[in-house]
Amino acid sequence: MPDAEGAAPPVLPEVEAKALMDRARTLVRSGHVLEVIPLCDEVYRRHTTSRVPALQLQVARALGHRGAALSELGKVVEAVIHFDEVERRFWSPRKPALWEGVAWSMVYRTCVLMEQDIPQQALRCVGELLRRFGSSESAPEGLRNAVGAARVLLPNVYNQLEEYEEALRLSEALLEASDGDPDPLKVDMASGALLQRAHALQGLGHWEEALECFDAVDVRYGEDPDPRMRALVSAALMGRALVLIREGMVPEALSGLDAILEHAGPHPYPRQRPMVDFAQFHREELGREAEEERKKMERRKKQWRK
């Protein structure tokens, strides 16, 4: 509220820094990574030498979010340097006020290791994250969200390792613990677990069950406007299309590819772009195959008439 002279009270530095880093996290989630870096640089420049725990937390978040943005821009070495700095400067079992920043940095590091196809190291990283922070009681929201993201990453890593039985066990346990709960964190966990369950079933060769699971992601979350959820649904639609392509179900696969494009719309979010590119490429390839098959059938019919 304004003071007696009508001037608004000054915003506390820690409140302002937190708002900037919350915005950066939202941008990382949506894939608008170019907008992340200036926000992180501002917080780092202002507060990197601060001894106030609330500001140190925001500096740790700034380094982690900036590293995540750099990794998506292909600057993996620089990203890892940022994650290393978070670990070196801010990790201590005696400083729980800083755990959120460290945990998110470890989440991002795990994602980078997976993208670099180093799943064994990713497994060690996410395992260490859960060992440090997974049993934290009455944790603040930011730390709980990081731990929730890590719990979804775990079956994802096992899927990448092609240990599908373990991925299926973990995803089903996660679904049992979170499915049906309207809390946003539990919705994120349930949706991610459902997608990883589908991938595990696909890896085990249970393609009909996998299709049902991919469909369930679409049915449940297809209308959710959140950019992260839009990308997750697009990933499920792509997984469904891949199963159909591999099973040689060309008409169904073409319909599945069209569903990816329809869901993304004319202005897809950055995280939907790979799925859109996949759909456009395979739509052309399968379209040519379908046309060739149609021409073969026409030639056969003419031969039969003779």
Side-chain angles (χ1 to χ4, degrees):
M1 293 180 63
D3 60 21
E5 298 181 358
V11 178
L12 294 174
E14 53 267 38
V15 174
E16 182 182 27
K18 181 180 183 302
L20 289 172
M21 290 303 91
D22 287 349
R23 173 64 178 158
R25 170 65 190 142
T26 299
L27 292 166
V28 169
R29 182 182 173 102
S30 67
H32 292 94
V33 294
L34 288 175
E35 300 174 49
V36 172
I37 293 174
L39 298 176
C40 295
D41 287 348
E42 181 70 10
V43 169
Y44 188 88
R45 181 184 63 81
R46 289 187 187 181
H47 306 299
T48 188
T49 60
S50 175
R51 307 296 294 177
V52 177
L55 289 172
Q56 288 181 317
L57 170 59
Q58 303 313 320
V59 171
R61 294 179 74 198
L63 285 165
H65 296 336
R66 195 178 195 279
L70 289 169
S71 71
E72 294 200 35
L73 294 170
K75 300 178 180 180
V76 175
V77 173
E78 292 179 52
V80 171
I81 290 171
H82 283 61
F83 305 145
D84 287 345
E85 185 174 352
V86 174
E87 187 79 10
R88 177 179 57 81
R89 289 180 57 183
F90 300 109
W91 163 239
S92 169
R94 296 181 297 277
K95 295 182 178 179
L98 306 181
W99 286 357
E100 175 190 338
V102 176
W104 273 117
S105 178
M106 295 177 78
V107 167
Y108 295 142
R109 185 193 290 270
T110 301
C111 292
V112 169
L113 291 168
M114 293 178 67
E115 288 163 6
Q116 295 295 302
D117 198 22
I118 317 174
Q120 288 290 358
Q121 291 186 30
L123 182 61
R124 286 195 290 273
C125 187
V126 73
E128 177 64 15
L129 189 163
L130 292 171
R131 186 189 68 77
R132 288 181 185 178
F133 310 119
S135 61
S136 301
E137 297 184 5
S138 303
E141 181 182 9
L143 180 57
R144 284 190 291 110
N145 288 341
V147 171
R151 294 196 191 284
V152 176
L153 278 175
L154 193 57
N156 196 342
V157 173
Y158 277 109
N159 272 326
Q160 190 172 22
L161 286 164
E162 298 184 2
E163 296 185 24
Y164 300 118
E165 293 282 2
E166 182 64 5
L168 184 61
R169 184 188 71 80
L170 288 167
S171 57
E172 289 183 340
L174 197 55
L175 273 170
E176 184 177 351
S178 57
D179 202 14
D181 192 320
D183 179 82
L185 172 59
K186 294 298 181 68
V187 172
D188 273 2
M189 292 170 69
S191 61
L194 191 59
L195 179 61
Q196 294 311 315
R197 182 178 186 273
H199 286 308
L201 288 166
Q202 179 184 352
L204 291 167
H206 305 318
W207 64 269
E208 290 181 333
E209 292 177 70
L211 286 176
E212 291 176 2
C213 213
F214 286 129
D215 285 343
V217 175
D218 182 27
V219 170
R220 291 191 190 188
Y221 308 109
E223 300 302 319
D224 194 313
D226 184 274
R228 182 259 177 192
M229 203 64 79
R230 301 290 293 172
L232 184 136
V233 171
S234 291
L237 292 171
M238 187 174 80
R240 184 179 188 278
L242 273 170
V243 172
L244 294 168
I245 291 169
R246 288 170 182 169
E247 294 301 318
M249 303 168 70
V250 174
E252 294 84 353
L254 285 169
S255 177
L257 295 170
D258 286 341
I260 296 172
L261 299 173
E262 182 180 351
H263 179 259
H267 305 291
Y269 286 105
R271 294 209 184 285
Q272 291 178 291
R273 192 72 248 176
M275 283 72 86
V276 169
D277 292 342
F278 166 90
Q280 290 173 337
F281 174 79
H282 286 280
R283 187 73 180 76
E284 293 178 7
E285 290 290 306
L286 288 181
R288 282 194 290 269
E289 290 180 21
E291 180 61 19
E292 289 174 7
E293 189 62 31
R294 186 190 66 78
K295 290 178 179 178
K296 286 180 184 178
M297 289 299 297
E298 286 295 324
R299 288 195 293 269
R300 287 173 187 159
K301 286 179 182 178
K302 288 179 181 178
Q303 289 173 350
W304 294 336
R305 292 192 192 105
K306 294 179 181 179

